[in-house]
Amino acid sequence: QVQLVESGGGLVQAGGSLSLSCAASGRTFSSYAMGWFRQAPGKEREFVATISMSGGYTYYADSVKGRFTITRDNAKNTGYLQMNSLKPEDTAVYYCAAGVRPAVRRNGYDYWGRGTQVTVSS
């Protein structure tokens, strides 16, 4: 079992930045790939970014490529999502997830956090 807790969400103006964290506990964090997803009101939960166990492979949704950066620190059992140049359409609840390999589909992950709200004002 892996327990995931997101933090770092909040309210920011368009063009601003936020850094999300995903703290893991339980089984060894470095044994899992990690992903970030988001869900806006009335919409499906969508893929944002994923990173391999070692951190050597990353992949992003087109909508965030060049603005968001996913990283991890296995020594701290923590993953991160740095979000720059935020837009109102980035407003959503952001979730981190852990799975056996990097994936873009929700069913590729076995463990999920409860999410953190990100609101971008125009």
Side-chain angles (χ1 to χ4, degrees):
Q1 289 280 350
V2 176
Q3 292 78 43
L4 303 172
V5 179
E6 304 92 339
S7 62
L11 174 64
V12 64
Q13 288 189 330
S17 298
L18 278 176
S19 180
L20 304 184
S21 298
C22 175
S25 60
R27 297 189 67 178
T28 306
F29 178 61
S30 59
S31 299
Y32 293 92
M34 191 185 76
W36 285 94
F37 287 72
R38 66 187 182 186
Q39 187 166 17
K43 294 189 177 182
E44 294 285 322
R45 191 173 300 188
E46 65 174 5
F47 168 77
V48 174
T50 187
I51 188 167
S52 61
M53 297 177 192
S54 67
Y57 170 82
T58 58
Y59 184 78
Y60 299 89
D62 287 343
S63 59
V64 307
K65 198 173 298 182
R67 300 188 298 123
F68 291 12
T69 303
I70 186 171
T71 58
R72 64 189 297 159
D73 185 339
N74 288 337
K76 295 183 178 179
N77 291 335
T78 302
Y80 305 95
L81 185 69
Q82 177 65 40
M83 306 185 295
N84 298 328
S85 302
L86 283 161
K87 305 175 182 180
E89 51 262 44
D90 294 318
T91 295
V93 177
Y94 283 71
Y95 299 88
C96 68
V100 295
R101 62 183 61 83
V104 300
R105 301 182 66 168
R106 291 166 53 183
N107 61 10
Y109 295 90
D110 301 306
Y111 304 101
W112 291 82
R114 293 189 175 185
T116 185
Q117 176 71 47
V118 171
T119 303
V120 184
S121 64
S122 56

